[in-house]
Structures are given as C-alpha cells and as structure tokens.
Amino acid sequence: MLEANSSNHLGQGLAFPLQVNLQGNLRLSPQVPNIEESMLVILRTHFGERVYRPDFGSRLGELVFAPMNTQTLLLAKLYTQEALSKWEPRIVIDAIRTEADPVRDRIDIIIEYHPTDSHEQRSLVYPFYLNG
C-alpha cells in the first residue's frame, strides 16, 4: 500500500539530456523531474522523428510559422493535450492554458497537472516558438 506522500510509483529514468555522474555512470533523474523531462521530450518530438515509433511525439511542429491568432493558440492547447494524454501515463492533466507572446513570437503553454495517485499540484511552462 502506498503512503500519502510516497512517490515510489513514479520511478526514475535516464536524465535528459544525457549526462554522466561523478562515478562515470549515466545520471538518473528521479520521480517528478523525470516526469517533466519526459513531458518536454514528448512536446519537442515531431511525428516521424523516432524510427521505430513514428507516432511518438506531438503535432506542435505543424504550427511552426503559423500566424499568432486564436486558432493557433487553440491548436497548441489541443496538440499538447493529445500528446501528453497518450504518452505520459504518470500524470493527470488538470488544465492547459496558452498565452501569446507576440514580442518573442512564441506561445507559452502552461500545463497544470498532478502525478497519478497524488494530489500534489505541479505546473510546467513550455515556450513554443512559432518562427522555428
């Protein structure tokens, strides 16, 4: 039985980007940092980029060079929801917001989530640049 504050079910994995620790082994990323690294990998990966898993990733790459308008903001939100719901089973998405930053030509995608079997609220901001 898991305790209320236990997060052992989240596990750990290789850190991204790959790094070596002081002992010369690949650095591991524990629990919540590993989830956030995984979320970033999912959102940054375009469909077809993975050889043996061509459907891995998100459709956000389709929005590069799209105009900064309401439709693009809604599509960014939808594509983020689709990708994370499919590829990151360790989280429950509570809300996704998109905020336009026309000065930097980017969309800030704010993902509010909590790990499964936990009510610890977390958020991750993913800056998506429209100019590639």
Side-chain angles (χ1 to χ4, degrees), residues 2-10 89-92 114-120:
L2 293 173
E3 297 177 16
N5 293 333
S6 174
S7 55
N8 292 334
H9 67 283
L10 299 179
R90 299 175 291 176
I91 64 169
V92 175
H114 64 271
T116 54
D117 299 335
S118 169
H119 295 290
E120 178 188 354

Side-chain angles (χ1 to χ4, degrees), residues 41-50 53-64 126 128:
V41 168
I42 292 166
L43 296 176
R44 290 177 181 156
T45 304
H46 304 290
F47 283 158
E49 201 171 333
R50 295 278 174 100
R53 197 168 273 194
D55 61 336
F56 179 82
S58 74
R59 295 177 60 191
L60 286 173
E62 297 175 16
L63 299 178
V64 173
Y126 177 65
F128 178 72

Side-chain angles (χ1 to χ4, degrees), residues 62-74:
E62 297 175 16
L63 299 178
V64 173
F65 302 116
M68 180 73 75
N69 59 26
T70 304
Q71 181 179 358
T72 301
L73 293 173
L74 290 173

Side-chain angles (χ1 to χ4, degrees), residues 70-126:
T70 304
Q71 181 179 358
T72 301
L73 293 173
L74 290 173
L75 285 173
K77 180 178 177 177
L78 175 67
Y79 294 166
T80 301
Q81 176 76 41
E82 285 176 346
L84 294 179
S85 295
K86 182 175 183 177
W87 293 110
E88 188 45 82
R90 299 175 291 176
I91 64 169
V92 175
I93 298 172
D94 298 318
I96 297 176
R97 296 188 328 254
T98 52
E99 295 179 0
D101 186 350
V103 173
R104 295 184 182 138
D105 200 24
R106 79 175 189 200
I107 299 171
D108 287 329
I109 303 172
I110 299 107
I111 305 157
E112 297 174 7
Y113 71 96
H114 64 271
T116 54
D117 299 335
S118 169
H119 295 290
E120 178 188 354
Q121 291 292 96
R122 311 270 314 165
S123 68
L124 177 73
V125 178
Y126 177 65

